[in-house]
Amino acid sequence: MLSTLKSVLAKADRGRYAVGAFNVNNLEILQAVIETAVELNSPVILQTSEGAVEYAGMDYLIAMMRVAAKSPVPVVMHVDHGKNLKTIKKAIDSGYTSVMYDGSSLPYAENVKNTKQVVAWAKKKGVSVEAEIGAIKGVEDLVSVSEKEAFFTDSVEAARFAKETKCDALAISIGTAHGAYKSKTEPLLDIARLKKIDSMVKAPIVLHGASGISPELVARTKDYCSMLEDCNRLEGAIGIPDEQIVLAIRNGVRKINIDSDLRIAFTAGLRETIITDHKGIDPRKLMALSKKLMKETVKHKMELFGSKGKAK
Ligand code: G3H
Ligand code: 13P
Ligand code: ZN
């Protein structure tokens, strides 16, 4: 059933678990996420980035997500890292139930001003708004913050920002990073900072850049790489360990964003299939293992986040 971010996260807050927000870019990713949510009886957030909209088109993405939202579990249709105000307005008017405005790289006053504008548009339509304060490092397609530009969220500023903007959820920077290369050593989240922010901010806290970068799946992407002459692609990839995620949830995180883990699962499955199935030309069969590995990934996340069985 189609739900807002606000209602899904309010319930998660009462139950002290987190809801997974998975980036969807095509039909196979979307099916992997929604089928697993239904199998596990878990609420789920389907999110599309500006890169996804550029790739697939907003109308196609909305149409696919609407079908998924007919499922018997709560489904949020969410804009991830919206930076273009025109696109966000279009999403609000076109059926998304939640949008993120990402003004984290702007000066404080400008971030507040733009977030308030988005909140005003959204409230009229009953749409939820996630905003961001602090800057999370890392590089994906259209979401890119260098090591130098990144900074952790200040608790006092976060409290003031949430109060001024009246956002429904707040993304913060406490040591995670976007993409498969999060850190040179094992990332350590600033849990003390999170605790402080959570005690001062009423809005539920969002963790971006939270992929675990499974060493098993990374190894699996390399199994056939000599044949693809592409052996070093994921060299040095490192993610957020499960134990850190559990700590983050215990200390107030209620929405957790996952994209890279799905990308790695997809790539591992596709490489293996292309190398082992020499005769295959049917795209549906070529992507079957990718879908299976993505489903296993989503299942693991829903169990880890504690959202399994929380659909009712
Ligand atoms: O945080 C960013 C998301 O993972 C989206 O990445 O811009 O490559 O679609 P993308
Ligand atoms: P990962 O790159 O860690 O999957 O983070 C995704 C994300 O934060 C999307 O907004
Ligand atoms: Zn993100």
Side-chain angles (χ1 to χ4, degrees):
M1 72 217 67
L2 192 57
S3 303
T4 63
L5 186 71
K6 192 176 177 178
S7 68
V8 163
L9 297 191
K11 197 166 170 241
D13 211 29
R14 289 194 294 275
R16 301 189 63 75
Y17 59 90
V19 182
F22 300 94
N23 285 76
V24 297
N25 292 278
N26 66 12
L27 180 67
E28 286 71 23
I29 301 173
L30 176 99
Q31 287 177 328
V33 175
I34 194 67
E35 284 172 20
T36 311
V38 171
E39 282 159 23
L40 267 62
N41 201 29
S42 168
V44 69
I45 299 157
L46 303 173
Q47 59 185 16
T48 62
S49 65
E50 288 182 350
V53 169
E54 214 172 80
Y55 171 73
M58 192 187 278
D59 291 345
Y60 276 116
L61 293 169
I62 288 174
M64 286 196 307
M65 289 192 286
R66 277 209 175 118
V67 176
K70 289 184 181 161
S71 309
V73 298
V75 176
V76 178
M77 287 168 60
H78 178 75
V79 168
D80 186 33
H81 290 284
K83 292 187 178 176
N84 182 318
L85 290 171
K86 241 170 117 179
T87 313
I88 294 181
K89 176 81 167 69
K90 186 178 169 206
I92 290 170
D93 292 337
S94 306
Y96 279 80
T97 58
S98 176
V99 295
M100 174 192 190
Y101 174 65
D102 178 359
S104 58
S105 59
L106 301 174
Y108 179 85
E110 213 177 322
N111 190 2
V112 169
K113 178 173 157 265
N114 291 350
T115 303
K116 276 171 119 172
Q117 173 64 78
V118 171
V119 170
W121 288 332
K123 290 279 138 93
K124 277 193 198 140
K125 302 256 177 183
V127 168
S128 310
V129 177
E130 173 187 335
E132 179 171 331
I133 190 89
I136 301 156
K137 73 170 179 188
V139 181
E140 269 162 321
D141 192 7
L142 300 177
V143 181
S144 167
V145 175
S146 72
E147 192 103 31
K148 265 197 191 145
E149 294 164 321
F151 61 93
F152 280 14
T153 304
D154 175 74
S155 55
V156 175
E157 194 169 75
R160 189 174 144 215
F161 181 82
K163 218 169 154 190
E164 280 178 6
T165 61
K166 298 192 174 58
C167 60
D168 300 299
L170 186 65
I172 59 166
S173 172
I174 53 162
T176 58
H178 286 111
Y181 306 92
K182 300 195 184 298
S183 159
K184 290 196 175 66
T185 54
E186 191 167 283
L188 206 58
L189 303 189
D190 190 342
I191 298 294
R193 184 180 293 268
L194 165 63
K195 230 177 184 161
K196 198 152 177 222
I197 296 170
D198 188 51
S199 71
M200 294 169 69
V201 174
K202 272 204 201 109
I205 304 297
V206 181
L207 199 63
H208 282 246
S211 276
I213 316 297
S214 148
E216 292 77 28
L217 281 180
V218 168
R220 204 159 163 173
T221 68
K222 289 182 187 160
D223 279 351
Y224 300 92
C225 63
S226 58
M227 296 168 190
L228 291 168
E229 293 174 6
D230 196 12
C231 261
N232 294 322
R233 247 184 85 90
L234 283 168
E235 209 60 56
I238 190 159
I240 311 296
D242 284 359
E243 310 78 64
Q244 297 269 315
I245 295 294
V246 169
L247 273 179
I249 297 169
R250 233 178 252 158
N251 287 285
V253 164
R254 298 293 166 243
K255 171 178 182 273
I256 300 184
N257 287 15
I258 300 293
D259 188 357
S260 298
D261 282 339
L262 293 178
R263 294 178 180 201
I264 290 171
F266 188 97
T267 305
L270 195 58
R271 285 187 183 183
E272 184 172 327
T273 306
I274 282 172
I275 299 296
T276 53
D277 180 7
H278 300 281
K279 290 186 188 150
I281 59 158
D282 183 341
R284 295 167 299 192
K285 291 182 182 145
L286 291 175
M287 283 193 278
L289 181 58
S290 290
K291 187 173 163 190
K292 179 176 174 282
L293 295 179
M294 286 191 290
K295 285 188 77 167
E296 285 169 12
T297 300
V298 175
K299 180 172 186 276
H300 174 68
K301 300 295 173 190
M302 288 175 170
E303 287 170 350
L304 180 69
F305 300 167
S307 70
K308 180 181 171 184
K310 298 289 187 347
K312 291 276 143 46

